[in-house]
Amino acid sequence: MNKGVGINEANHTLTPQLKVTGGRKLSGEVRISGAKNSALVLMAASLLTDDDINLRNVPPLTDIACMSNILLSLGAKLDHRVDNLSINSSNLNNSSPPYELVNSLRASFFCIGSLLARMGIAQVPLPGGCRIGTRPVAEHIRGLHALGAKIEIEHGLVSAVITSPQHRLRGTNIQLRCPSVGATETILMAAVLAEGETVIQNAAREPEVTDLIGLLTAMGANIHGTGTSTIKVIGVRRLHGADYSVIPDRIEAGTFLLAAGITKSTLRIAPFIPEHLTAVIDKLQEAGCILKQDGIGVIIQANELKSVSFTTQPFPGFPTDLQAPFMSMLTMAKGASLITEKIYENRLQHVPELQRMGASIVLHKDTALIKGVSKLSAAPVTASDLRASAALVLASLVADGTTYIRGLYHLDRGYAFMEKKLRSLGAYIDRLNP
Ligand code: EPU
């Protein structure tokens, strides 16, 4: 596809880029891949048993490849065929994943819970901050300590050891100070093999936590309170293998709903679980979009958009991971919208890039005031993080002219075949590789 090039492409091919020529309506159906944030934690949970864990619907993403390398570094064996991933951890021989891998994938820190429960020792580098915020792991560590692990943090390395003569953690009550997804998942994976009962209060309720409980239960764990903020785990001595299918990625599904919204198109998106995106569906409807459940999918019809306002919150509130893509859509809505980002302190870095494309956005601390404009215009832009990259792709679909988007490393972490899927819906989008 080669359309509407107004700028010398040779200047734009030193790093991989997306080249998007805006103004096309989209139509047709898009298939949603498995959820990245579920698949990553299910892979960590596979360390809890000697038997095979067969995961289906695993998305082909660079984050998944990184987690695979972490499991390999610990001695696990992996067999990856298309979207099926089989993991065997019967010969784990290392309890310390390397810094280079943990540093490039924050979610890999969550392995500390399963590794500790399984091997009695885990030494995992502190993941550090990332572009969207400081992202502490204090709650994860506090939870493991409450379960009886001896914890030392030195030279950037968290060492957790089970010192009890029974070589098992001890169930207890843990009240999380914030409903952290990763802390809930880490503690769950540690508690399933602990002695006695663990109660996690103020637990995260995100669908990815529920998916983890689904796999752990299929492996023989005894867990109550799924989907609520109080989760009770009755420890078992051993877990066994399981076959399990990852839930569809609600953030990818939401991104395509917003692609329909911003291009004023009609799309079918499947598979789709509406309960995973209630807050987003409400806001899309308030903006004037019509959504209808259609079998295992949803049909969205979009036309003129109205302004809406929201604040990001833990589930079931509006998800931070769709804040940036939703903002892109609102740059073209009639009227003024307010978006407040409450989960991460640095997740509004897409704003200056959207402004370069003609969006009218005023930032004040954690809040963006977006005044809808009648058109965006193409500009070279750079993605600062994963969801910002999706926001820029959405804006480019309607921008006047050809937009070149850099920073695709972020996009490839979390969106499987993004440009291929958009192209099949009629978008003019290509990847330029150097
Ligand atoms: N927090 C603390 N202390 C802690 C842990 C968390 O203050 O000990 C705070 C964080 O600073 C943040 C908030 O709690 O402000 C939420 O963090 P949480 O721990 O819930 O996030 P996470 O588990 O690190 C997962 C997803 C994120 C998603 C968040 C929130 C994975 C691998 N990542 O992160 O996904 O934004 O939950 O839903 O599951 C993405 O996919 O783009 C992404 C960033």
Side-chain angles (χ1 to χ4, degrees):
M1 207 277 311
N2 234 333
K3 269 209 163 267
V5 184
I7 312 169
N8 179 2
E9 258 178 35
N11 292 334
H12 292 270
T13 51
L14 298 174
T15 58
Q17 296 176 69
L18 283 182
K19 174 187 163 197
V20 190
T21 302
R24 299 269 300 171
K25 283 229 180 206
L26 305 180
S27 63
E29 169 163 345
V30 62
R31 184 186 168 270
I32 299 304
S33 302
K36 165 181 83 85
N37 290 342
S38 266
L40 290 172
V41 73
L42 301 187
M43 289 170 76
S46 71
L47 296 173
L48 287 163
T49 176
D50 270 349
D51 299 342
D52 285 354
I53 296 295
N54 299 313
L55 298 176
R56 279 171 276 118
N57 203 28
V58 176
L61 299 170
T62 53
D63 270 8
I64 298 292
C66 184
M67 190 59 139
S68 298
N69 286 333
I70 285 175
L71 298 184
L72 287 169
S73 78
L74 301 173
K77 293 206 163 44
L78 276 71
D79 183 8
H80 203 161
R81 290 170 202 217
V82 197
D83 56 2
N84 291 324
L85 176 62
S86 188
I87 305 167
N88 183 284
S89 305
S90 54
N91 286 314
L92 294 185
N93 52 24
N94 177 19
S95 55
S96 184
Y99 170 73
E100 298 71 45
L101 293 177
V102 176
N103 184 46
S104 60
L105 177 63
R106 199 180 175 282
S108 60
F109 184 80
F110 307 166
C111 279
I112 194 169
S114 46
L115 207 49
L116 176 67
R118 177 70 193 292
M119 297 188 78
I121 178 167
Q123 293 176 301
V124 184
L126 280 168
C130 80
R131 282 162 181 270
I132 56 178
T134 46
R135 306 187 73 185
V137 287
E139 290 303 281
H140 314 50
I141 294 170
R142 209 169 60 81
L144 297 179
H145 183 250
L147 286 165
K150 184 168 165 253
I151 308 271
E152 274 173 15
I153 306 175
E154 246 182 8
H155 310 299
L157 191 70
V158 182
S159 299
V161 184
I162 301 179
T163 51
S164 79
Q166 298 81 17
H167 302 294
R168 287 178 81 190
L169 293 167
R170 232 184 15 249
T172 187
N173 273 5
I174 299 167
Q175 167 88 35
L176 291 179
R177 292 186 180 132
C178 61
S180 157
V181 174
T184 305
E185 293 170 342
T186 302
I187 296 167
L188 266 170
M189 289 187 276
V192 283
L193 289 178
E195 199 181 341
E197 189 178 295
T198 300
V199 178
I200 310 172
Q201 276 162 331
N202 198 22
R205 289 182 282 163
E206 269 69 1
E208 295 75 22
V209 174
T210 302
D211 212 24
L212 171 63
I213 296 177
L215 172 65
L216 294 172
T217 306
M219 292 166 73
N222 189 350
I223 305 176
H224 304 265
T226 307
T228 75
S229 51
T230 303
I231 302 175
K232 194 204 277 189
V233 183
I234 298 155
V236 296
R237 282 203 164 269
R238 184 180 178 276
L239 294 174
H240 51 71
D243 275 328
Y244 195 80
S245 190
V246 179
I247 52 170
D249 195 308
R250 64 192 169 109
I251 306 302
E252 188 197 14
T255 303
F256 278 98
L257 287 173
L258 293 162
I262 196 167
T263 58
K264 302 189 173 69
S265 303
T266 298
L267 290 182
R268 182 171 188 273
I269 292 160
F272 181 76
I273 303 177
E275 295 75 26
H276 289 179
L277 275 182
T278 317
V280 178
I281 293 172
D282 286 352
K283 289 296 162 189
L284 280 166
Q285 287 173 333
E286 204 181 314
C289 300
I290 299 167
L291 285 93
K292 279 189 215 127
Q293 185 77 31
D294 180 50
I296 59 155
V298 64
I299 294 177
I300 175 164
Q301 275 176 282
N303 219 302
E304 289 311 311
L305 298 168
K306 288 179 281 196
S307 58
V308 295
S309 297
F310 62 83
T311 299
T312 59
Q313 281 166 347
F315 190 83
F318 193 99
T320 172
D321 295 344
L322 282 171
Q323 175 262 111
F326 211 110
M327 188 183 298
S328 282
M329 188 186 86
L330 292 176
T331 61
M332 299 287 287
K334 194 164 180 291
S337 309
L338 275 180
I339 296 182
T340 304
E341 171 57 51
K342 281 286 178 211
I343 306 294
Y344 297 114
E345 66 273 24
N346 203 14
R347 212 181 209 184
L348 290 164
Q349 292 177 70
H350 45 285
V351 169
E353 296 303 277
L354 290 175
Q355 285 167 334
R356 298 185 67 243
M357 296 178 75
S360 167
I361 308 173
V362 179
L363 264 188
H364 181 64
K365 295 185 182 159
D366 58 3
T367 299
L369 168 68
I370 305 121
K371 288 190 186 145
V373 292
S374 56
K375 92 173 179 118
L376 295 178
S377 61
V381 285
T382 304
S384 52
D385 62 77
L386 168 57
R387 306 305 170 186
S389 67
L392 295 179
V393 170
L394 295 191
S396 69
L397 292 175
V398 289
D400 204 14
T402 300
T403 299
Y404 290 85
I405 306 174
R406 292 169 188 236
L408 300 191
Y409 152 80
H410 299 292
L411 188 76
D412 296 338
R413 287 188 43 218
Y415 288 93
F417 309 120
M418 177 68 135
E419 68 266 22
K420 206 168 152 192
K421 289 181 182 182
L422 281 170
R423 212 165 30 236
S424 77
L425 300 174
Y428 283 159
I429 179 167
D430 271 321
R431 184 176 291 241
L432 308 179
N433 281 311

